[in-house]
Each structure stands twice: as C-alpha cells, then as structure tokens.
C-alpha cells in the first residue's frame, strides 16, 4: 500500500499556482483572496474524494472519510496560509499529503475502524493576524473565540470580518472534540535531516519557549567631550548581555538555542553615548527545568553586565510556552511506519510552533518531518525533493492505517 507520487506532485503544482510569486515562492496570507481560492480548490478535491466537508466558526475546514464504526476520527492536518514571499512547502505540503493518503485509501478500497479526517487550520502562520496558530488554539479551548474574532491585521481589519467576506465563517462550533489522534506532516525548517541524509523525522515533541524583555538605562551624553572614564553606556552593557546569551546553551544543554533578535538603541545617533537599550531574549529547550536554569543564568548575566558598566536594568520574563511532548503511541506509529518502509529516519524535536502543539492538548498527537534544503523555510528558496517527500507521505499513510485500525 503506497501513495501515488505523481498525483501528489500534480496537486502540489496546481495548488502552488495560487498566490505564487515570480520567483516560485508563495504569498498567500490568511483570509485573503488567494487563501480563499486555495481553500475552494481543497474543498473541491475533498468532495471529489467523497469526504463529508464541514467548516467551523474559525474557518477551519474538515473533510471526513467514514470509518466502519462510530469512533473518534484520526485527524490529518496542516495549513494553506503562508508568510509573505514564503515557500510552497510549509503547510501546503502537509495538507496535500493528507489528501493523498485519503485518495490512496479510496484507491485501495481500504476500510478503517476509525474515520479519517483531513483538517485545514486558519491563520497558522500568524503573519496577518496574531497570535499564530490562532484557530487550533480556539479549537483546543486555549484561545477565546471572541478574542480570535477581534484580532486585527495591519489595516485594522478584523479576522471575523475577513472570514465572512471570503465565505468561510462556518456554522460548526469550534470546540474540543473527541479525536483518536492528530497527525501532521511538515517540513523540518532546520538542517538536521539533510545533514544526516535522512528523509523522515519522527517528531517527539515541540520545544518550550521563553521570551524576556530587557531594558538597560545608562547616561546619555555627548560622544566628543565626555571622557572614557566614568561612562555609563547602555549599549556596552547590552553587548555583554548579547555575548552572555550566546554562551547560555553551552552551560545548560546541547538542545538549547538562545537568541537576541531585537535591539533598540536610544537615541541611536553617531554622536551620543547610548542612554538606553531595549532588547529581547528568546530561549528554547525541550526541557522545562533547563529553561528555568537558563533564565537564572540570564538574570545573573544581566546583573553582572549592568554592574560592570554602572547602568540600571529591568528584566521581565513575560511569555512562556511549555514544551509539548507528543504522545508515545503516535510517535511509535510514525516510527514503525518509517521502519516498515525502510526509510532513513531519526527522532527529532521541533524548534518551531505548529497546530499540532494545540492539538496535543486535546488528543494524542504527533508529527512527521521531511527535510528542508539548507534548513531554509519562510522564504522562496524553501525546497524539499520529491524523493524525500515520498517516504514521508508513505509514513503518514502507514501511521494513519495503524492509528485508524485498518480492517
Ligand atoms: Zn507551517
């Protein structure tokens, strides 16, 4: 039992035309006309495949293939929205592999005990409406529907109004529902699979994330007449913190990553000693305790840097997402599927967020990664070869058969 790679490739090429950029990438922001056309295309294909299609109040689209028993479905999903000048593989590939799995089940006249449902989640990227993964967040009961409806884009347009405008403000309640499992195929968006020449990543979970914000205040003064002695330069202290953040993972865990991505220097002119600096710190690790240890190291580093330059500091750890371990049963099903196919695979963690993160709070969830060339994503260069997509899609098929219990 295998998927039909040519059919998958043809669907990918067709859907990829909707919102295609001149350089072969994709600009298909959530709830734009391009998003609507992609949704319409998917719905038509889902109906052709005999699925019972429904849309919920967040515009999430579901297509159910019946099982032989009245049991909760195995859900296969991802998203069709993209970031601006993004790639064609992020999201779209997962949705199309799920469709191909269903088409293959139809071809083989395969019956499963549990229904198999394809799902397409609204606004996964968070490029147009924040936060990201807003619709799976509502589905999982973690974000209030009202808050999601009132999210606005840069032009002040509300999410709910755009849902209505493109015809995807559905009638189904967007609430937690019984699910046998949730499974999502996605590109890795990192370099590990490619480096090790493996085509399937058995995703064990999504790392925890901590965001901090730091303000350093020194003394702003003229860059000329002020001697070097006695300067209280907020940027010099910030530079020390940047170096310290870079060194934190080395002291905590091999899996940790740490980034200062934003730096606002004031007054940010050539002839003034910087009076204040605001900066961000993004820490990620699969282990909650390691994150806590890292934050303690950050606290100390900031204190030391501030003291040595004689500046004051204000550090707040304002956002934290705990690590999401995926369900051993689903991870096991994916691993067994990859093994049965003889696909080169390894266990891996996701450093980025996905809808599977919210789904994991309401049902056993898991993911399958396929390699990203040069580890790149959210850009037009995003690419995965069909030789690598095929084993990933077949892994999705076999894992689905196991979880939905082929009869
Ligand atoms: Zn994605």
């Amino acid at each position: 039992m295998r998927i039909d790679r040519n059919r998958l490739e043809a669907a990918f090429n067709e859907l990829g035309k909707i919102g295609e950029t001149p350089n072969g990438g994709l600009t298909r922001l959530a709830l734009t006309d391009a998003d609507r056309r992609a949704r319409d295309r998917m719905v038509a294909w889902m109906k052709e495949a005999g699925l019972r299609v429904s849309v919920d109040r967040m515009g999430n689209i579901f297509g159910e293939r019946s099982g032989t028993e009245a049991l909760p479905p195995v859900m296969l999903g991802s998203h069709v929205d993209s970031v601006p000048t993004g790639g064609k593989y992020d999201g779209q590939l997962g949705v199309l592999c799920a469709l191909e799995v269903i088409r293959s089940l139809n071809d083989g006249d395969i019956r499963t005990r549990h229904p198999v449902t394809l799902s397409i989640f609204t606004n996964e990227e968070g490029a147009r409406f924040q936060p990201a993964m807003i619709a799976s967040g509502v589905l999982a009961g973690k974000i209030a529907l009202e808050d999601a409806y009132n999210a606005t884009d840069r032009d002040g347009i509300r999410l709910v109004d755009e849902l209505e405008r493109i015809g995807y403000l559905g009638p189904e309640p967007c609430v937690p529902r019984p699910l046998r499992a949730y499974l999502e195929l996605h590109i890795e968006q990192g370099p590990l699979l490619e480096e090790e020449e493996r085509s399937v990543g058995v995703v064990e979970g999504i790392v925890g994330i901590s965001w901090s914000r730091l303000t350093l205040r020194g003394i702003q003064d003229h860059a000329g007449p002020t001697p070097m002695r006695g300067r209280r330069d907020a940027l010099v202290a910030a530079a020390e913190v940047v170096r310290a953040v870079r060194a934190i993972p080395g002291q905590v865990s091999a899996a940790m990553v740490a980034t200062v991505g934003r730096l606002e220097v004031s007054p940010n002119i050539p002839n003034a000693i910087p009076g204040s600096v605001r900066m961000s710190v993004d820490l990620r690790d699969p282990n909650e305790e390691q994150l806590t240890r890292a934050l303690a190291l950050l606290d100390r580093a900031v204190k030391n840097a501030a003291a040595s330059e004689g500046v004051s500091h204000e550090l707040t750890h304002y956002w934290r997402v705990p690590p999401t371990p995926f369900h051993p049963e689903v991870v096991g099903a994916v691993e067994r599927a990859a093994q049965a196919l003889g696909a080169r695979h390894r266990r891996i963690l996701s450093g980025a967020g996905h809808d599977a993160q919210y789904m994991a709070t309401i049902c056993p969830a898991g993911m399958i990664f396929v390699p990203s060339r040069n580890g790149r994503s959210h850009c037009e260069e995003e690419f995965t070869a069909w030789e690598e997509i095929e084993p990933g899609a077949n892994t999705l098929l076999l894992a689905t058969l196991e979880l939905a219990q082929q009869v």
Side-chain angles (χ1 to χ4, degrees), residues 44 65 82 102 108 115-117 158 164 175 210 238 254 269 320 333 362 377 386:
R65 183 180 191 268
S82 83
I102 285 167
V116 176
T117 297
R158 290 196 311 157
E164 189 162 28
V175 291
S210 160
I269 55 168
R320 180 114 171 217
I362 59 166
S377 71
W386 286 102

Side-chain angles (χ1 to χ4, degrees), residues 25-318:
L26 200 63
T27 295
R28 198 159 68 204
L29 271 69
L31 310 186
T32 55
D33 290 344
D35 186 20
R36 171 180 54 198
R37 295 209 312 278
R39 286 163 173 264
D40 290 349
R41 182 73 283 202
M42 284 304 302
V43 166
W45 280 336
M46 285 154 87
K47 287 182 174 159
E48 273 170 39
L51 303 184
R52 196 176 58 79
V53 176
S54 61
V55 179
D56 75 12
R57 294 171 71 193
M58 274 303 290
N60 297 319
I61 304 170
F62 305 98
E64 185 171 293
R65 183 180 191 268
S66 307
T68 57
E69 292 173 46
L71 291 167
V74 172
M75 188 175 272
L76 311 177
S78 203
H79 57 97
V80 296
D81 67 320
S82 83
V83 297
T85 55
K88 290 183 177 175
Y89 297 81
D90 183 345
Q92 171 167 291
L93 186 64
V95 162
L96 290 174
C97 285
L99 176 69
E100 180 50 40
V101 163
I102 285 167
R103 286 171 164 176
S104 301
L105 296 178
N106 288 348
D107 285 354
D109 221 355
I110 306 291
R111 309 300 310 272
T112 54
R113 287 186 65 216
H114 293 260
V116 176
T117 297
L118 195 168
S119 62
I120 302 170
F121 291 108
T122 298
N123 190 62
E124 190 276 341
E125 294 290 2
R128 185 172 177 203
F129 299 99
Q130 287 80 45
M133 306 175 280
I134 196 167
S136 54
V138 173
L139 183 72
K142 299 293 183 286
I143 297 173
L145 182 70
E146 209 50 27
D147 292 346
Y149 276 180
N150 287 323
T152 51
D153 70 2
R154 253 195 295 187
D155 301 318
I157 302 175
R158 290 196 311 157
L159 182 143
V160 63
D161 296 331
E162 283 296 83
L163 270 179
E164 189 162 28
R165 184 186 69 83
I166 68 162
Y168 279 91
L169 183 59
E172 301 279 326
C174 185
V175 291
R177 57 170 80 186
L179 292 171
R180 163 75 178 102
Y182 174 80
L183 195 50
E184 178 168 357
L185 180 144
H186 204 279
I187 52 169
E188 181 197 343
Q189 304 179 281
L192 298 182
L193 293 175
E194 183 181 67
E195 275 169 15
E196 296 184 6
E197 293 178 12
R198 295 178 203 263
S199 36
V200 175
V202 179
V203 188
E204 290 186 290
I206 299 180
V207 300
I209 307 174
S210 160
W211 278 8
S212 308
R213 125 175 11 104
L214 169 65
T215 307
L216 295 158
R217 282 194 192 83
I219 294 177
Q220 184 179 326
D221 211 336
H222 199 299
T226 315
M228 292 313 290
R229 67 185 142 79
R231 285 190 182 203
R232 295 179 176 204
D233 186 327
L235 184 55
V236 170
E240 260 187 64
V241 174
V242 172
R243 294 298 316 181
V245 166
R246 179 65 174 265
I248 287 174
Q251 301 162 66
V252 179
S253 88
M256 174 165 277
V257 288
T259 308
V260 174
R262 174 185 283 177
L263 200 69
E264 290 162 42
V265 182
S266 172
N268 207 20
I269 55 168
N271 55 355
I273 299 164
S276 72
V277 171
R278 274 169 56 94
M279 57 199 279
S280 65
V281 182
D282 175 314
L283 295 164
R284 299 178 189 224
D285 194 273
N287 182 312
E288 186 90 70
E289 284 147 44
Q290 311 285 42
L291 273 180
T292 304
R293 278 184 58 208
L295 287 177
L297 290 173
L298 176 62
D299 289 344
R300 207 169 63 204
V302 167
K303 242 177 235 153
N304 290 344
S308 76
E309 188 64 20
V311 303
S312 70
H313 65 90
E314 204 178 300
L315 176 63
T316 27
H317 310 307
Y318 67 98

